[in-house]
Amino acid sequence: MFTGDRSGDVLFKAMYELGLASRPLAVSVDDGLTLRGTRVTSPVHCAPPENKPTPGERDMCRPWLVREMELLGPRLRSAVILGAFGWQAALPAFAAAGWRVPKPRPRFAHGTRVTLEREGAGEPGGRSGALPLGESGESGESGESGDPGPVTLYGCFHVSQRNTFTGRLTPDMLKDVLREAAGDAGIPPYALSTGQR
């Protein structure tokens, strides 16, 4: 996803500068890029005509996104949602995967932040907090349940050329959202040595 295109150039460079990616560019599946404590996904995994998925295609693909969230749930702490289309896809998918989405649904805007609790959290037998994560992605506390906890969603303008070329989304705006989400996820920041930049 985003491999070899200008949107990816912006995204992976920002992730690299924050220590969330091993390289500033993704050019091919075997280019050596690795992500640290993060995952990139999409509500639509096919390449639709003109690269513009329809709401119907988004809704048709929702079960796969829901399943991915269910699998990630025990380790998922925050999610950066790119663009209004992604936001509209993410909220019902999070609801279907067992998180409570507030009503009325939060509106998309760059910098929007909303925390979703798990269904049943705070009830007898329900979960009320997130698991601390160790560097390896394993639970930082022995004996803790592997059940998913709350997740904080961050709205961010999409890294499309239209947004980045016009300055609607600047590299600093993107890095601010990624930095805050990484902090919520418990991914500690680290500085890259000058030789790595």
Side-chain angles (χ1 to χ4, degrees), residues 11-173:
L11 178 62
F12 293 119
K13 182 177 182 199
M15 293 178 75
Y16 172 74
E17 289 177 2
L18 295 174
L20 301 173
S22 62
R23 303 168 40 98
L25 291 174
V27 295
S28 70
V29 71
D30 60 355
D31 63 9
L33 176 93
T34 57
L35 301 179
R36 179 174 170 261
T38 61
R39 179 178 182 88
V40 176
T41 192
S42 175
V44 179
H45 287 273
C46 60
E50 298 181 36
N51 200 25
K52 293 182 180 181
T54 66
E57 289 168 321
R58 174 197 65 208
D59 296 346
M60 181 72 71
C61 292
R62 183 173 298 134
W64 286 274
L65 183 59
V66 169
R67 183 63 183 139
E68 190 170 5
M69 290 175 179
E70 290 169 346
L71 293 170
L72 292 171
R75 296 178 11 190
L76 187 61
R77 301 293 171 264
S78 64
V80 174
I81 313 298
L82 299 177
F85 186 88
W87 190 261
Q88 292 166 358
L91 292 177
F94 273 102
W99 280 274
R100 272 194 308 266
V101 175
K103 292 183 181 176
R105 283 188 179 169
R107 294 178 57 106
F108 173 79
H110 182 82
T112 294
R113 177 183 174 173
V114 62
T115 299
L116 306 180
E117 297 292 334
R118 289 296 292 182
E119 291 294 339
E123 298 170 8
R127 215 173 123 80
S128 60
L131 287 175
L133 293 184
E135 194 62 29
S136 67
E138 298 296 323
S139 170
E141 301 284 328
S142 60
E144 288 274 0
S145 166
D147 293 337
V151 63
T152 302
L153 308 184
Y154 292 87
C156 181
F157 289 137
H158 196 279
V159 291
S160 68
Q161 289 183 54
R162 178 178 169 212
N163 287 341
T164 58
F165 286 179
T166 62
R168 184 174 194 201
L169 177 66
T170 66
D172 286 340
M173 290 168 66

